[in-house]
Amino acid sequence: MATPTANKPQQQKITVASIAEQTGFGRSTVGHVLSGRGQELGIRPETIDLILKAARENGYVANPLARGLRGQRTNAIGVLWTLDGFANGESTLRPLTEAIARQGCVTYLFDHGAMERGPLEILKNLQLRGADGVVILLNVPSVLDIPGMRDLIRSFPLRVLVTPEPIDFDADIVVYDRKAAQRAATEALLQAGRRRLLYVTNHLPPNLYKFHTIQETVAAFGHGAAADAIDLQRTRLRGLVDCFDADPRCAEADAMLFSSDDYAAAGMRWLHCRGRRCPQDVAVVGFNNSEYACVLTPPLATVDRVDIELVEQIDQLIRNRRSNPDSDCQHRLVAMRYVPRESAGTVQEKTP
């Protein structure tokens, strides 16, 4: 009599449904968390933690990348960047994602605001999705000091960090020197005879580096020069006139530096409506070198973010890392530039 062969039980496939059953949450909730949209959709942090923990313990892998995980490469790169309405938006992200796509990679794009709320969650989600690379804009390098952050970044074979200043970290790094350009703009105003500089921003905390650079440059210059700052608290462009009218510092300034070209253009219009000439009475400097800056009247002096060069350097680093995964980490420098134009012209003698 033949002895029946014992059938080896097959390992149960881990799915969204099985994690939902295990944790007691709905399938849609589990699906949103595993797709990285938990915070965006307002799911409670403790719920997100429980679902991600269950997924890790069960070895869950997002289905579109499962086959790639069994091979050598998933061809997925997470991009954590800044999406704040104007800076590093269309001008950087579209060419960057297109460059990554040309390398045959899938791009997962995350708002840097979400990163500030929960960078560890985002990186863990990328791990679950099987991403083998990350490109991270570190506007504030201290993000690396979050417990566990460095180890999570190191878990990705391909890692490119974009930082405002050099840092010591084992990753491919692109440094964009933002202070030098802001300092050059401030020095040009001071050399032209401006003494009451006013920095105007719509959200001061992430732009403090600009104001601090202005303050340091003014302090080193001396000669009775002073710098102050106004935070418009994300005021819409149409409401800027009231903000400028309400703050006496705007009427006293002989130079205004703005955190974006949009707000600089609005400031120039306000000056014109109030009968103050630009640049004779007030010099104006923007930030971002938008495509319309050179066609304003007068043409707007501004800081160029050199987006094209930035994308080119990131693209080269990704290609090098994919071709030579064991090569030494590389550091690249992309220096922002001050673009002088008529809006920041020299002080002229006023007609009596």
Side-chain angles (χ1 to χ4, degrees), residues 77-98:
I77 296 177
V79 178
L80 288 68
W81 211 258
T82 296
L83 300 176
D84 56 5
F86 59 89
N88 273 331
E90 193 81 0
S91 59
T92 302
L93 289 174
R94 174 171 290 186
L96 177 58
T97 54
E98 289 175 349

Side-chain angles (χ1 to χ4, degrees), residues 87-127:
N88 273 331
E90 193 81 0
S91 59
T92 302
L93 289 174
R94 174 171 290 186
L96 177 58
T97 54
E98 289 175 349
I100 292 174
R102 285 194 296 271
Q103 298 191 42
C105 295
V106 178
T107 303
Y108 293 121
L109 182 62
F110 291 90
D111 188 305
H112 193 275
M115 180 186 173
E116 291 175 345
R117 292 191 298 271
L120 296 180
E121 178 195 344
I122 291 177
L123 293 176
K124 290 174 183 176
N125 281 334
L126 285 171
Q127 285 182 323

Side-chain angles (χ1 to χ4, degrees), residues 25-308:
F25 298 110
R27 293 188 184 185
S28 61
T29 299
V30 173
H32 291 322
V33 170
L34 295 179
S35 67
R37 301 182 64 209
Q39 286 189 335
E40 175 187 344
L41 297 175
I43 297 175
R44 297 170 61 186
E46 51 266 36
T47 299
I48 293 173
D49 290 341
L50 287 172
I51 292 173
L52 291 177
K53 180 180 178 182
R56 288 193 298 271
E57 290 176 348
N58 287 279
Y60 171 80
V61 175
N63 190 45
L65 297 172
R67 186 175 66 175
L69 278 176
R70 289 193 290 269
Q72 294 182 345
R73 177 173 289 158
T74 64
N75 290 334
I77 296 177
V79 178
L80 288 68
W81 211 258
T82 296
L83 300 176
D84 56 5
F86 59 89
N88 273 331
E90 193 81 0
S91 59
T92 302
L93 289 174
R94 174 171 290 186
L96 177 58
T97 54
E98 289 175 349
I100 292 174
R102 285 194 296 271
Q103 298 191 42
C105 295
V106 178
T107 303
Y108 293 121
L109 182 62
F110 291 90
D111 188 305
H112 193 275
M115 180 186 173
E116 291 175 345
R117 292 191 298 271
L120 296 180
E121 178 195 344
I122 291 177
L123 293 176
K124 290 174 183 176
N125 281 334
L126 285 171
Q127 285 182 323
L128 290 174
R129 296 178 183 203
D132 57 11
V134 288
V135 178
I136 306 175
L137 172 69
L138 290 173
N139 271 337
V140 183
S142 60
V143 170
L144 288 175
D145 297 330
I146 297 175
M149 185 70 172
R150 291 173 179 263
D151 290 337
L152 268 175
I153 294 176
R154 290 190 184 99
S155 69
F156 297 93
L158 187 159
R159 45 191 181 270
V160 178
L161 304 185
V162 185
T163 74
E165 55 198 40
I167 60 173
D168 183 17
F169 190 73
D170 49 344
D172 295 313
I173 296 174
V174 182
V175 178
Y176 59 99
D177 190 352
R178 60 189 185 186
K179 288 187 176 180
Q182 194 72 55
R183 187 178 299 110
T186 305
E187 288 177 347
L189 294 172
L190 294 169
Q191 293 294 339
R194 312 291 174 169
R195 294 295 179 268
R196 297 183 302 279
L197 279 62
L198 183 64
Y199 175 61
V200 183
T201 178
N202 65 324
H203 190 36
L204 187 57
N207 289 297
L208 269 175
Y209 77 90
K210 298 177 187 176
F211 182 49
H212 288 163
T213 302
I214 294 169
Q215 283 184 310
E216 292 168 359
T217 307
V218 168
F221 183 82
H223 300 289
D228 206 343
I230 294 178
D231 189 349
L232 300 174
Q233 301 289 336
R234 297 189 183 276
T235 301
R236 294 183 180 274
L237 290 174
R238 70 184 67 177
L240 290 181
V241 170
D242 292 338
C243 292
F244 293 148
D245 283 339
D247 198 313
R249 291 174 294 178
C250 293
E252 297 167 356
D254 60 11
M256 301 176 75
L257 301 97
F258 291 80
S259 62
S260 78
D261 290 349
D262 293 344
Y263 281 78
M268 289 168 63
R269 289 194 295 271
W270 172 76
L271 289 170
H272 178 75
C273 292
R274 295 299 175 267
R276 303 183 70 192
R277 299 171 299 169
C278 175
Q280 291 90 336
D281 299 321
V282 183
V284 174
V285 176
F287 193 92
N288 206 36
N289 199 23
S290 304
E291 58 184 11
Y292 58 81
C294 60
V295 299
L296 293 173
T297 304
L300 178 64
T302 184
V303 172
D304 191 345
R305 297 187 62 96
V306 291
D307 295 317
I308 295 176

